[in-house]
């Protein structure tokens, strides 16, 4: 529309609609330039910070968005999570169980109902990283935490992975029911959005930083660099719909990815 004026005949510029079209074109151009996702996020965070502790409120909003991810209230999500909270004894885990995430009814049958606080660790890992190395680190962790009777929360064993809404609603409660978070960080860990969301939510649900254990599967400078450059906007999920929901959760709490990235990178820098 703004490109038309030089081509319009002088007499047509007196048309009463001409000025309106020109103003509309200017407004549309302004909106397209200024209302980018980054700028919307800045406004979102500024509005959320008025009269409050912005950082804590934004982080709490992200957890609240997870709790309500299935349309449930926080109370009903808590009740559902407590009913479905299960744990797997380390003695029932094999190397093959950590090689791929194929559903295993046999492994689920080896889990047992658990109470909040009875589970030694929530295992956070990427299924794309090497299973044998993960198994070795799990065994080392268990040796210092009650051996074969050490109880773990492992996604493949303890949840129905086909129900994403239930996972979203229960994830914060499952994390808060574990005494520690065992992060098995390999080359792909920082590229998996589920993984870093678990790390973030554990701390926001009351977990202490000293209760986070980070084991590098490949203790190389390349892996450390990947963790240091984590970017939620580039992280992926196995299913695109999962990624969309998790990114919406981050946006609900932070407006943009930048503040979330700073928090996660800080944890990696401290622990890894």
């Amino acid at each position: 529309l703004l490109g038309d004026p030089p081509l319009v005949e002088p007499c047509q510029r007196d048309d009463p609609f001409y000025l309106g079209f020109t103003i509309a074109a200017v407004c549309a151009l302004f909106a397209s330039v200024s209302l980018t996702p980054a700028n919307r996020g800045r406004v979102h965070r500024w509005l959320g910070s008025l009269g409050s502790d912005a950082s804590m409120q934004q982080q709490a909003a992200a957890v609240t968005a997870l709790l309500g991810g299935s349309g449930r209230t926080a109370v009903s999500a808590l009740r559902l999570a407590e009913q479905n909270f299960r744990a797997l004894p380390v003695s029932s885990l094999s190397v093959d169980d950590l090689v791929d995430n194929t559903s295993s009814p046999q492994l689920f049958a080896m889990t047992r109902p658990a109470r909040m606080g009875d589970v030694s660790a929530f295992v956070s890992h990427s299924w794309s990283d090497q299973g044998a190395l993960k198994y070795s680190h799990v065994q080392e962790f268990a040796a210092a935490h009650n051996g074969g009777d050490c109880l773990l929360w492992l996604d493949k064993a303890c949840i129905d992975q086909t129900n994403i809404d239930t996972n979203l609603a229960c994830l914060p409660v499952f994390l808060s029911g574990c005494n520690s978070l065992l992060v098995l960080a390999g080359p792909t860990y920082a590229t998996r959005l589920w993984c870093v969301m678990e790390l973030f939510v554990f701390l926001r649900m009351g977990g202490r930083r000293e209760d986070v254990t980070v084991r590098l599967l490949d203790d190389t400078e390349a892996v450390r660099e990947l963790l240091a450059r984590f970017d939620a906007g580039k992280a992926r999920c196995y299913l695109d719909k999962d990624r969309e929901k998790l990114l919406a959760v981050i946006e609900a709490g932070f407006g943009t990815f930048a503040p979330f990235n700073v928090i996660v990178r800080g944890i990696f820098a401290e622990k890894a």
Side-chain angles (χ1 to χ4, degrees):
L1 288 174
L2 289 175
D4 286 343
L7 306 177
V8 175
E9 296 181 10
C11 62
Q12 290 181 319
R13 294 177 184 171
D14 295 329
D15 188 305
F17 294 106
Y18 180 80
L19 178 60
F21 281 128
T22 302
I23 293 175
V26 171
C27 291
L29 178 62
F30 173 79
S32 66
V33 171
S34 63
L35 298 183
T36 62
N39 286 335
R40 289 201 309 273
R42 293 187 182 97
V43 173
H44 184 118
R45 292 199 306 277
W46 176 74
L47 291 173
S49 69
L50 297 179
S52 66
D53 182 337
S55 177
M56 292 299 294
Q57 187 174 37
Q58 289 161 3
Q59 294 177 39
V63 175
T64 301
L66 273 173
L67 286 169
S70 62
R72 297 180 176 87
T73 65
V75 173
S76 64
L78 173 61
R79 185 178 300 112
L80 177 68
E82 289 179 330
Q83 293 171 351
N84 290 277
F85 191 44
R86 304 185 68 85
L88 178 73
V90 169
S91 58
S92 300
L93 185 67
S94 69
V95 176
D96 292 340
D97 293 327
L98 289 173
V99 171
D100 65 73
N101 63 346
T102 304
S103 180
S104 174
Q106 295 81 7
L107 189 62
F108 178 80
M110 296 179 185
T111 63
R112 63 181 71 163
R115 294 180 300 177
M116 298 293 165
D118 285 350
V119 182
S120 294
F122 182 110
V123 181
S124 179
H125 68 111
S126 166
W127 283 107
S128 298
D129 289 330
Q130 189 174 344
L133 290 176
K134 288 187 285 189
Y135 181 80
S136 175
H137 282 291
V138 166
Q139 293 300 320
E140 289 180 10
F141 177 87
H145 296 81
N146 210 25
D149 292 328
C150 175
L151 294 178
L152 301 177
W153 191 97
L154 179 67
D155 50 2
K156 177 180 179 178
C158 299
I159 62 172
D160 176 6
Q161 297 185 75
T162 64
N163 192 338
I164 181 62
D165 285 341
T166 298
N167 294 351
L168 279 171
C170 295
L171 179 65
V173 185
F174 290 156
L175 281 156
S176 68
C178 299
N179 297 326
S180 64
L181 181 70
L182 176 59
V183 175
L184 304 177
T188 70
Y189 185 88
T191 69
R192 312 307 297 176
L193 196 52
W194 265 116
C195 296
V196 293
M197 183 63 73
E198 292 164 353
L199 177 60
F200 164 74
V201 174
F202 177 78
L203 295 174
R204 289 275 41 89
M205 290 299 290
R208 301 177 303 171
R209 284 185 180 244
E210 53 263 39
D211 292 330
V212 176
T213 300
V214 176
R215 298 290 185 92
L216 298 182
L217 302 183
D218 297 305
D219 193 0
T220 63
E221 190 60 34
V223 172
R224 293 176 181 273
E225 182 66 17
L226 288 172
L227 297 177
R229 292 189 289 108
F230 165 75
D231 184 350
K234 296 179 181 178
R236 312 299 301 179
C237 291
Y238 181 73
L239 298 177
D240 286 339
K241 66 176 183 177
D242 292 8
R243 181 173 184 270
E244 291 168 5
K245 289 190 177 185
L246 291 178
L247 292 180
V249 166
I250 296 173
E251 187 175 58
F254 299 92
T256 64
F257 303 141
F260 179 80
N261 291 343
V262 169
I263 292 173
V264 174
R265 290 171 186 169
I267 297 171
F268 285 145
E270 176 185 339
K271 292 294 180 177

